[in-house]
Amino acid sequence: MCESDVHAARDARARPAHGLLRGKRVAITAAAGTGIGAATAQRLLDEGACVALSDRHEGRRRETAARLRDALARDGDARADRRVAAFPCDVASS
C-alpha cells in the first residue's frame, strides 16, 4: 500500500471519527497489508482502537504498519508505536 492509499482511505471517510473504540484492541486477520484490510485498520485507529495487523507478505505488513504509525505520529499521537502491531499470518488452506 502506498502512502497515497493511506491518505485516500483517510479522506474517504463516510463520517468523522468519534473515538468509539478508544482504548480497545482490534485484530485485523486477513491481508491487512493492503486494500480493504489496511483501510479498515486506518479507520479503527481513527476511532481510537489499537490494531494488530496480519498478512503473510512481510514487506507489505511492515510497510503498512510503518505508514499507519507515521500517520498517527504526524497527528500528534504519542502512543503511535504502541497502537499498531504487525504479525505474520497465512490463512490459506494447505
Side-chain angles (χ1 to χ4, degrees):
M1 173 176 240
C2 66
E3 187 168 348
S4 63
D5 291 338
V6 172
H7 293 295
R10 179 171 282 185
D11 294 340
R13 294 182 202 146
R15 292 174 273 203
H18 297 287
L20 299 174
L21 300 173
R22 190 168 291 120
K24 308 272 193 242
R25 296 218 183 271
V26 177
I28 306 297
T29 59
T34 60
I36 293 171
T40 300
Q42 178 65 63
R43 181 60 185 192
L44 293 168
L45 286 168
D46 291 345
E47 288 294 342
C50 296
V51 298
L53 304 173
S54 67
D55 197 297
R56 70 182 189 143
H57 299 284
E58 181 178 353
R60 288 193 315 219
R61 184 179 67 244
R62 287 180 189 234
E63 180 180 317
T64 299
R67 289 190 193 288
L68 292 172
R69 287 183 192 115
D70 289 348
L72 288 170
R74 278 194 306 274
D75 289 344
D77 190 327
R79 298 179 339 130
D81 286 338
R82 294 184 299 169
R83 290 191 54 207
V84 179
F87 303 95
C89 180
D90 185 353
V91 297
S93 60
S94 329

